[in-house]
């Protein structure tokens, strides 16, 4: 998508240090100076925050305000350009030089000058600008302001107040960008300081950004504090693996060990920001449970084995199973690795039993995704489309939890231009409030009817974008309705998976009815072409999806499973998964010991993301590069390399030819002719009933519909090792309406229990304005609340008190 | 001599229960409102413009012109905010006015609302003057009961409400945009302009912010006409105003007289410098205006003439200091005030005041170092005109003017403590026995090392202060 070109009439020409520069109308002088490469010192200024003009470091001499008259010194960050304006910066004006040097002297009088022990030293704007624009020596010989060291603003963010220059970037970020106004200036005058409210921690999903934009070493993260010196760090541009947003990251490593991750600027995706999960959740691969050698099951024990031995064992197991094999790659793979699984299933195993979805799924979703991937002219929605949208409707998607960059975009659009956001959900979440979203209160499972109602009422006009989350799979008829509206009425929509690898896996054809590059299994021509490239016939038989594979394996009708990154707890029926992995011959490709590796017959260690290069495809279908951070890995083989070796061990190296590493996999994909074939049919499932019978099981227990989603900071294993981050997670609560609560005699703060089958979830009640007879809980939450084996839309039992 | 006085706003101050509606009405109160309501709003603005009334909050911006900036095509509600956060050292006119004659302000606010198309005014009164707040609230209640506020005022069909808001005691909240932030419930800090309050002020709606005295002057203009008003004062600074005179004069207080009288006249109104002493220096308009000396006594008190003399008319608050006063000590106290009241938002004000206090303290203690005065002047140069709002310009003005006029006294600070040069007890006007001061509790968070030399312990002497009685 190209930028709309700026009309020449929108440009304003001014003169800075004698050089003409043209910038868009409404721009600030400091931006115009940047265009000329003129260095103007600044602390409070940030291009994405509203100007505050507090630090006064960017004062410039205004020789002519555009009206023929000079002005008194003005901060360049808050001075709007005007035609004919004449500005002198320190580069050409002694006055400006004096002003800038004077402000830096002021900023330094109360600064501790503890650079030798400050994390920021070496990349510190105060340090740099003091040298470039400041006085050589301070004339200050008085007492400096002192504060007790490091005030924790949250478990993650610490504040050294004496270093602070009170630029208020952090307070403005938290208020304007993330909508968590938990930081403020407190006290006044020389006692001014940043603080969080008493007893109120700065628990925001985006708190790491304030550390990154702090222009001094005042804000540090508990995670990186005292860990490294900027000069020791090697930076690698990469992409975040923690959701499908596709944030650009800069990974800083010291001696190949990742020390921190920063948001890299990318206006088309994440602006200058990222979420705390993306920033801090990178330690899970460095814990004691990292797999470093292959393992083979001998009796009841898994024992370390050599690579040839393990490859031979796995090859024999697969060959013994012949074609009775299922492939479960999981949703967190790079595109290249997903393509390797896809090819392995088709060309090496010879069937279509492959499904990347390690979560609750439906047949409707399978059909929908196949339709989506094979659609001609799919008109992908991206972040810029959200910027320009007239309305955004969220269905089964909580952007703040499930794709934080969508949340920030929508909040920005709402704040800047009042973008109407509607959310079809059980209640208006914290994130919904921060986007100004209008709630269409809906019982989980009945979203399709609500969406159809909106369409019938003409509320989904051109300019509307519907965003669907992964939970759409659980709302009968919803995906069918969206597909119908898209085909018949030109509705713009996007499917926003939660995991980083799902869109890439979809493009790689990791679904039973789908081949790579958007070809349907029913497309004979595509199959012939693919067979020619892959040197193997492409199987015709319809494959099994995740649920069917697990059921078949548990029943003994599927002999072997090849499993990537899958956690049984993420699946609809974890017990079924355990039975399946226990019964079938299971080969696991994993980074860490997991429930699957413990049940597997052969385990191969695979490289962490930082140990390989590759690509993620984000929800906008844009390829985002993953950089190689650590070339000295203990387990250097990415999945694609292991699968290639496995094919060779099975004597089928031809089937994986030229696909030994991510670069080769990418080259192979590039040869495929994307989406030229015939589109697959769209799903046509009728919406479920709007009403359900209300059952009162006995006096104290009622049946309710479960609502919930996985919060950003949940019980996910990728958060292991990021203890400070996990400590900022919201406390789990059970939400229900006052009416529902009254039915079982619950009040706010009381403890209640949900149960489904043998599983229970117990937690404190929070009375929330929401749909009656629905109970919301955070799915897979961090705490000891228990684990409910039920999905949103399921009927569960609610009772007061703890678990029996 | 008393012919100089023009009691208009102060006319009823001496009457029993001057603050009551009945008293105010008996002396022609609310006839200005009645006349205004009979005019078109635009005509009211024109009348105030024609009167040449200039804002009495310090800057002297023409009030009628300010009203005319309110965009009438803006669909948002419009507001009038009355700035009663009088906190300038030396200035004492709005608070007595609100205490003695609150209805003048209420009437002025209603007229302003009518003129700019607002239906609500906020009266922001500083929080420390509890007795005044009671008076103001009582006056607003009386006005409601008399049908002067609320719906259909005096049968005109015009509706107007007044909300009295109490500040929390911050000098910065007298700055109009900080006042608006404070009124909205935020931390009082000046806002970035543009947008100006006339376009996006209170709750981002068009807002007029007027000083108490400015608005109190409006009813008499409407009652007597613009020509009557311009018959007083000078051509560019017409009308009469309330001067506050304090310090080493015989009879300090408020004096209402035309603009353009000289400092000498004003000093004579206050009975002259106390017996046996000579005038050393004075502020023309509160501590934020550069100080003047005896040579400036014949400068007329209007905006242009005082500016020509190198100072500002400001709030017309003449603080008089006689020959017993240490100018170093005075300057230090003023800068300490500004350091305490700096909101902390911008660097030059926050750090500059912090630094200046330390330098002035050691000059006061006679422990200054060669070059301190140049350093002080350079700091003032770095602060002046470069801060976010004009608070910092206020302390720059008093420091630079004090050094300009009394540099040798500052130089004496290199070797002689100010209290030895000019013993402090001589400048006290009254002596009262003061009990031992309570122990000072150090701030919990900020640990600032003690100043180089603490002030020697000596009996504290306080000026007597007595209110006018607060039985409202």
């Amino acid at each position: 998508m190209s930028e709309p070109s700026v009309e020449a009439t929108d440009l304003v020409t001014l003169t800075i240090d004698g050089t003409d520069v043209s910038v868009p109308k409404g721009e600030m002088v400091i931006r115009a100076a940047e265009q000329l490469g003129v260095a103007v010192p600044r602390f409070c200024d940030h291009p994405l925050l509203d100007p505050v003009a507090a630090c006064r470091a960017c004062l410039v001499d205004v020789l002519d305000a555009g009206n023929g008259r000079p002005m008194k010194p003005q901060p360049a960050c808050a001075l709007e350009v005007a035609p004919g304006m004449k500005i002198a910066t320190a580069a050409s004006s002694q006055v400006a030089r004096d002003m800038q040097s004077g402000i830096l002297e002021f900023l330094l009088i109360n600064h501790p000058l503890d650079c030798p022990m400050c994390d920021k030293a070496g990349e510190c704007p105060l340090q740099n600008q003091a040298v470039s624009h400041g006085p050589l020596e301070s004339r200050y010989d008085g007492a400096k302001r002192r504060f007790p060291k490091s005030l924790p603003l949250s478990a993650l963010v610490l504040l050294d107040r004496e270093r602070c220059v009170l630029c208020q970037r952090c307070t403005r970020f938290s208020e304007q960008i993330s909508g968590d106004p938990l930081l403020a200036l407190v006290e006044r005058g020389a006692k001014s300081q940043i603080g969080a409210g008493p007893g109120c921690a700065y628990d925001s999903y985006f708190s790491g950004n304030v550390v990154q934009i702090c222009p001094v070493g005042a804000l540090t993260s508990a995670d990186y504090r005292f860990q490294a010196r900027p000069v020791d760090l090697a930076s690698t541009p990469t992409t975040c693996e923690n959701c499908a947003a596709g944030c650009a990251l800069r990974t800083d490593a010291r001696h190949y060990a990742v020390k921190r991750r920063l948001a890299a600027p990318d206006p088309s995706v994440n602006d200058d920001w990222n979420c705390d999960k993306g920033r801090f959740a990178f330690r899970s691969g460095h814990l004691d449970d990292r797999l470093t050698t292959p393992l083979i099951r001998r009796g009841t024990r898994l024992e370390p084995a050599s690579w040839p031995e393990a490859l031979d064992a796995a090859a024999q197991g697969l060959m013994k199973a012949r074609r009775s094999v299922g492939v479960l790659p999981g949703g967190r793979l790079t595109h290249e690795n997903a393509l390797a699984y896809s090819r392995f299933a088709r060309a090496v195993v010879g069937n279509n039993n492959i499904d990347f979805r390690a979560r609750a799924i439906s047949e409707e979703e399978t059909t929908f995704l196949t339709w989506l991937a094979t659609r001609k002219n799919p008109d992908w929605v991206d972040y810029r489309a959200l910027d320009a949208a007239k309305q955004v409707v969220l269905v089964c998607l909580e952007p703040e939890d499930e794709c934080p960059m969508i949340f920030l975009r929508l909040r920005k659009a709402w704040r800047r231009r009042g973008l109407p956001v509607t959310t079809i959900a059980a209640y208006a979440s914290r994130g919904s409030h921060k986007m100004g979203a209008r709630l269409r209160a809906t019982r989980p499972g009945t979203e399709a009817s609500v969406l159809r109602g909106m369409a019938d009422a003409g509320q989904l006009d051109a300019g509307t974008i519907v965003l669907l989350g992964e939970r759409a799979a659980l709302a009968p008829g919803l995906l069918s309705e969206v597909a119908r509206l898209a085909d018949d009425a030109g509705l713009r929509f996007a499917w926003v998976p939660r995991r980083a690898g799902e869109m890439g896996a979809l493009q790689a054809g990791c679904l039973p009815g789908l081949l790579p590059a958007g070809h349907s299994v029913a497309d004979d021509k595509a199959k012939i072409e693919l067979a020619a490239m892959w040197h193997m016939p492409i199987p015709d038989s319809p494959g099994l999806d995740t649920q069917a594979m697990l059921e078949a394996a548990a029943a003994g009708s599927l002999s072997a499973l090849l499993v990537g990154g899958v956690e049984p707890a993420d699946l609809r029926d974890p017990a079924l998964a355990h039975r399946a992995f226990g019964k079938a011959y299971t080969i696991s490709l994993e980074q860490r010991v997991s429930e699957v590796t413990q049940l597997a017959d052969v385990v191969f260690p695979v490289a962490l993301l930082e140990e390989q290069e590759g690509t993620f495809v984000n929800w906008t279908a844009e390829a985002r590069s993953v950089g190689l951070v650590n070339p000295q890995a203990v387990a250097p083989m990415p999945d694609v390399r292991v699968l290639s070796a496995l094919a060779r061990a099975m004597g089928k190296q031809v089937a994986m030819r030229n696909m030994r590493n991510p670069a080769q996999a990418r080259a192979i994909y590039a040869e495929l002719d994307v989406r030229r074939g015939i589109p697959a049919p769209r799903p046509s499932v009728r919406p479920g009933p709007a009403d359900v019978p209300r059952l009162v099981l006995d006096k104290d227990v009622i049946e309710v519909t479960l609502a919930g989603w996985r919060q950003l900071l949940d019980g996910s294993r990728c958060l292991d090792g990021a203890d400070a981050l996990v400590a900022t997670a919201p406390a789990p609560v059970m939400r229900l309406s006052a009416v529902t609560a009254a039915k079982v005699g619950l009040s706010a703060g009381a403890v209640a229990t949900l149960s489904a089958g043998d599983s229970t979830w117990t937690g404190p009640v929070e009375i929330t304005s929401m749909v009656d007879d629905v109970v919301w809980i955070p799915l897979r939450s961090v705490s000891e609340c228990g684990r409910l084996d039920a999905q949103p839309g399921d009927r569960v039992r609610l009772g007061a008190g703890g678990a029996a | 001599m008393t012919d100089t006085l023009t009691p208009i706003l102060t006319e009823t101050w001496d009457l029993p229960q001057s603050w009551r509606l009945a008293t105010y009405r008996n002396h022609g109160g609310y006839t200005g409102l009645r006349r205004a309501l009979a005019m078109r709003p635009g005509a009211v603005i024109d009348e105030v413009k024609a009167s040449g009334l200039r804002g009495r909050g310090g800057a002297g911006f023409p009030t009628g012109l300010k009203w005319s900036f309110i965009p009438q095509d803006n669909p948002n509600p419009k507001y009038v905010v009355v700035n009663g956060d009088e906190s300038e050292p030396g200035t004492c006119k709005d608070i007595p006015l609100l205490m003695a004659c609150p209805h003048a302000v209420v009437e002025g606010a209603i007229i302003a609302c009518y003129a700019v198309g607002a239906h609500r005014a906020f009266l922001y009164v500083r929080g420390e003057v509890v007795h005044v707040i009671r008076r103001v609230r009582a006056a607003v209640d009386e006005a409601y009961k008399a049908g002067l506020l609320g719906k259909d005022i005096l049968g005109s069909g015009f509706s107007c409400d007044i909300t009295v808001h109490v500040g929390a005691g911050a000098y910065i909240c007298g700055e109009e945009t900080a006042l608006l932030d404070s009124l909205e419930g935020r931390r009082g800090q000046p806002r970035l302009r543009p947008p100006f309050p006339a376009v996006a002020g209170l709750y981002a709606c068009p807002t007029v912010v007027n000083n108490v005295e400015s608005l109190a002057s409006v009813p008499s203009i409407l009652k007597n006409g613009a020509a009557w008003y311009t018959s007083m004062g000078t051509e560019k600074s017409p009308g009469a105003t309330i001067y506050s005179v304090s310090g080493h004069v015989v009879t300090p207080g408020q004096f209402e007289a035309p603009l353009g009288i000289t400092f000498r006249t004003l000093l004579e109104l206050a009975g002259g410098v106390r017996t046996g002493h000579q005038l050393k220096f004075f502020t023309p308009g509160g501590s934020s205006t550069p100080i003047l000396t005896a040579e400036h006594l014949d400068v007329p008190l209007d905006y242009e003439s005082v500016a020509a003399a190198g100072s500002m008319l400001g709030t017309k608050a003449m603080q008089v200091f006689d020959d017993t006063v240490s100018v170093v000590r005075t300057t230090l106290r003023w800068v300490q005030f500004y350091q305490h009241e700096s909101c902390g938002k911008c660097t030059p004000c926050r750090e500059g005041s912090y630094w200046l206090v330390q330098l002035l303290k050691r000059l006061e203690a006679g422990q200054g170092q060669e070059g301190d005065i140049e350093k002080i002047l350079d700091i003032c140069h770095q602060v002046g005109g470069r801060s976010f709002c004009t608070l910092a310009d206020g302390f720059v003005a008093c420091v630079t003017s004090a050094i300009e006029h009394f540099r040798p006294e500052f130089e004496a600070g290199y070797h002689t403590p100010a209290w030895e040069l000019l013993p402090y007890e001589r400048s006290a006007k009254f002596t009262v026995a003061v009990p031992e001061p309570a122990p000072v509790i150090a701030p919990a968070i900020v640990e600032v090392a003690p100043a180089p030399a603490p002030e020697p312990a000596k009996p504290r002497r306080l000026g007597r202060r007595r209110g006018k009685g607060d039985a409202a």
Side-chain angles (χ1 to χ4, degrees), chain A residues 110 139-140 143 187 189, chain B residues 187 342 351 354 358 375 386:
Chain A
N110 272 313
R139 294 173 295 167
Y140 184 72
E187 293 288 352
Chain B
R187 174 189 169 87
S342 167
E351 308 294 345
Y354 178 88
Q358 298 196 33
K375 203 190 271 185
R386 297 171 190 186

Side-chain angles (χ1 to χ4, degrees), chain A residues 403-420:
Chain A
C403 189
M405 289 309 120
I406 293 184
F407 164 74
L408 290 187
R409 279 285 159 158
L410 295 181
R411 177 170 159 78
K412 182 165 92 172
W414 169 67
R415 201 174 159 264
R416 290 210 174 152
R417 60 181 180 89
L419 169 73

Side-chain angles (χ1 to χ4, degrees), chain A residues 242-246 331-332 356-357 359 365 368-369 372 380 383 395-399 401-404 406 467-472 494-507 617-621:
Chain A
N242 284 329
C243 83
R332 289 176 61 99
F356 65 84
R357 294 167 299 172
R359 52 183 170 80
E365 191 199 17
F368 172 83
L369 291 178
L372 177 67
W380 294 107
Y383 289 96
V395 197
C396 298
L397 176 68
E398 275 302 318
D401 283 311
E402 296 177 308
C403 189
I406 293 184
L467 297 179
L468 300 159
E470 67 170 20
R471 286 170 286 126
W495 174 68
V496 184
R498 211 174 51 83
R499 294 196 174 102
E502 294 207 357
M503 191 57 98
L506 188 66
Q507 291 193 352
V617 182
N618 71 358
W619 67 271
T620 71

Side-chain angles (χ1 to χ4, degrees), chain A residues 157-173:
Chain A
V157 180
L158 297 141
L159 170 65
D160 288 301
R161 283 166 290 181
E162 74 278 28
R163 289 181 189 152
C164 178
V165 293
L166 298 164
C167 69
Q168 297 197 60
R169 278 188 188 180
C170 54
T171 60
R172 284 179 293 146
F173 173 86

